[in-house]
Structures are given as C-alpha cells and as structure tokens.
Amino acid sequence: MEAKLSSRWIGSFFSSSKKVQKSWFDALERTIEQRLEYFGGLVDEHKPKDHPNDAIQWIIHTAPKDDPWDAVRIAREVMALWFVAIHGVSMTLTLGLIRSLSSP
C-alpha cells in the first residue's frame, strides 16, 4: 500500500516538470547551434586543443554527412541518450527505495 502511494507521488512530481524539460531542451539546442557554427567548417587539424569532448560533440561528429542533422535533431538524440542512460539507474534506485521503505 505504501509503495503505491509513494510511486504515485513520485510519478506526479516528475511528470509535472514540462517547463523544466522545455528550458533544458532550449539551452541544449543553443549550445549545439553554437558548436555547429564554430566547429562546422573546421577540419580536425585546425580545431583547438581544448575543444569539447563529450556526448554532444560525439553525436555531431558521427551524424550522417550526406543528410546533416540540425540542432533540434541533435538535441533530441542527446536527450534520448541521456534518458536511456539514466533510466536503468533510476529504476534500480527507485525499486531499492521502495523495497527498503516497505520492509520493516
């Protein structure tokens, strides 16, 4: 019974954050647009030594060259990867928390 109540509360809390998701997506899109603009015309030997080396840059580099992705598509890919990466961890932690709360 307690697990049902806590899961409803947790679910409603996280699903009510659409404004946060939108602002996060917009910030991510702006960052990607800046990187596409800056790194778009540079070949590898002309890129600065301290250029970003993260998931965003990896997706930019591995995106199809014959049909280039825009910033919105790349932002969606990044968010999908983040969702998949955190989903397993969050489910494990949530189930562990529910089990520990429901045990005497």
Side-chain angles (χ1 to χ4, degrees):
M1 185 74 155
E2 292 173 7
K4 271 189 177 180
L5 290 175
S6 63
S7 64
R8 264 192 229 142
W9 179 82
I10 292 169
S12 65
F13 174 75
F14 284 112
S15 64
S16 67
S17 61
K18 289 183 178 154
K19 186 176 180 182
V20 172
Q21 293 172 7
K22 175 72 173 134
S23 62
W24 184 253
F25 181 84
D26 292 342
L28 182 61
E29 184 182 6
R30 282 191 304 274
T31 301
I32 293 169
E33 285 173 349
Q34 290 170 352
R35 290 195 188 181
L36 287 173
E37 185 178 315
Y38 182 74
F39 292 110
L42 298 177
V43 291
D44 286 336
E45 62 263 10
H46 297 315
K47 290 184 180 169
K49 299 288 184 213
D50 60 343
H51 75 280
N53 188 14
D54 55 9
I56 297 169
Q57 205 61 38
W58 177 77
I59 292 173
I60 291 171
H61 287 305
T62 58
K65 304 298 183 228
D66 54 339
D67 187 20
W69 291 351
D70 61 349
V72 172
R73 171 66 189 266
I74 295 172
R76 288 179 181 157
E77 295 289 329
V78 169
M79 290 188 78
L81 283 174
W82 285 342
F83 175 78
V84 169
I86 194 112
H87 184 69
V89 174
S90 65
M91 288 303 295
T92 302
L93 290 175
T94 302
L95 290 174
L97 180 63
I98 289 172
R99 281 190 176 182
S100 66
L101 290 175
S102 60
S103 298

